[in-house]
Amino acid sequence: WLKLALSKGCCLVSSSPQHTMGRAIAAAAATGLCVYSASQAFVSSGAPASSSPQAPGLRGAAAAAPDAGSFAGLGGMTAAVASAAVGAAAVRAAGVARSATAVKKKGVRVVEGKEIPWNLFMPKAPYKGKVLPNDVHPHTLTQDTGDANWETTHVTFDHGGKVPYIEGQSIGVIAPGPDKKGETPAKIRLYSIASSAVGDDQSSKTVSLCVKRVVEVDGEYANREVGEDKPDKAGTGFPDKKVYRGVCSNHICDMSPGDEVLITGPTGAEMLLPEEDDANVIMLATGTGIA
């Protein structure tokens, strides 16, 4: 039985990783058949013997009905249960083996069969870029409306071609802090990329963000007590009020050409553009930057 099972299982065995499941199933079948054949040794002497060899597999054992004078039906049930248990364990083992054999390329993720750049730089080892002047867009895009958080800025970073990305992805920015929890530097904030994959300057070496400055006056939270708030780069300040300023948004909006910026990523696969040139695209601000 073992030889026969292994000969049948050989058709599922391959050296490629995707056939690991085949090897597991073959092993499970062989084990189940061994248990079945052993159970047949307990058939009583009065039980009629089959004139032709039993077909391989557990089909015949499952069809055998238990009776008072024979353990044949019980043996079939034992084989089925044993095979199911071994098969489940083998499938789990195959999943682990398949995961182990799948070699991941660093900085790459496969999305719909295509490789895209992915987390080339992490929070513990970010890319150190610099702020560049932008000849296409002004730094401040909006006009002062009198609201505390009226300003939206367009800021461009030089990444030297080391942080490639595609449209629809995000990058992380690490602010010096402290943040709400007092951490220094602050944890990364993700922002949707506001430039095409080649950048605003078409060099494939820059990335731009479009960021709204977060300022809340006399709100539930404050990181500046009365008398502590000072005018930002746009000249907005509220020294006579309790103010909360977004840690990273204000860090980015106050940047000037030549300033250093810590970048992580790129990341994000949910907002990628379709390949079809005639596809209808509805664009929404996701809350991680206006792109």
Side-chain angles (χ1 to χ4, degrees):
W1 285 101
L2 180 58
K3 286 173 124 183
L4 191 54
L6 290 175
S7 67
K8 293 297 182 183
C10 285
C11 65
L12 298 172
V13 177
S14 170
S15 60
S16 60
Q18 57 264 38
H19 290 102
T20 305
M21 187 71 74
R23 291 195 293 271
I25 295 173
T31 305
L33 288 169
C34 290
V35 174
Y36 170 73
S37 60
S39 71
Q40 297 306 296
F42 293 95
V43 178
S44 62
S45 58
S50 173
S51 59
S52 59
Q54 179 80 26
L58 296 176
R59 189 171 181 179
D67 55 51
S70 173
F71 286 91
L74 183 58
M77 187 178 299
T78 303
V81 172
S83 180
V86 173
V91 169
R92 287 195 297 271
V96 174
R98 193 165 58 252
S99 299
T101 54
V103 179
K104 292 184 178 180
K105 293 173 66 176
K106 185 178 180 180
V108 170
R109 181 175 180 179
V110 178
V111 178
E112 295 184 1
K114 292 189 175 182
E115 293 183 346
I116 65 172
W118 194 266
N119 284 336
L120 290 160
F121 294 92
M122 305 295 285
K124 291 185 178 180
Y127 178 81
K128 294 182 179 180
K130 286 193 178 296
V131 179
L132 293 177
N134 193 311
D135 298 328
V136 179
H137 301 285
H139 179 81
T140 298
L141 301 175
T142 51
Q143 295 182 347
D144 190 348
T145 61
D147 293 334
N149 55 356
W150 63 270
E151 187 185 17
T152 298
T153 63
H154 189 95
V155 186
T156 301
F157 307 136
D158 176 17
H159 62 71
K162 301 294 182 60
V163 191
Y165 58 88
I166 61 175
E167 292 85 354
Q169 289 192 295
S170 302
I171 59 170
V173 174
I174 301 176
D179 59 14
K180 282 183 179 180
K181 297 182 178 179
E183 293 187 19
T184 303
K187 289 186 177 180
I188 67 165
R189 281 9 181 223
L190 289 176
Y191 292 92
S192 299
I193 296 172
S195 52
S196 66
V198 295
D200 289 338
D201 63 355
Q202 307 289 302
S203 69
S204 297
K205 295 181 179 180
T206 64
V207 58
S208 296
L209 300 180
C210 193
V211 179
K212 184 179 181 65
R213 186 191 293 273
V214 176
V215 182
E216 297 177 2
V217 177
D218 289 335
E220 183 178 354
Y221 299 102
N223 50 12
R224 288 164 174 79
E225 297 298 326
V226 175
E228 294 181 351
D229 191 53
K230 297 179 180 179
D232 51 37
K233 184 177 180 179
T236 304
F238 304 91
D240 58 338
K241 298 181 181 297
K242 292 175 63 176
V243 179
Y244 173 78
R245 286 186 176 268
V247 174
C248 201
S249 67
N250 279 266
H251 171 61
I252 294 172
C253 291
D254 284 339
M255 285 180 171
S256 298
D259 288 349
E260 188 176 86
V261 59
L262 300 180
I263 300 172
T264 67
T267 189
E270 293 80 14
M271 303 291 287
L272 304 182
L273 293 175
E275 292 187 2
E276 295 79 10
D277 293 334
D278 59 348
N280 295 320
V281 178
I282 300 174
M283 305 188 75
L284 303 173
T286 62
T288 56
I290 305 167

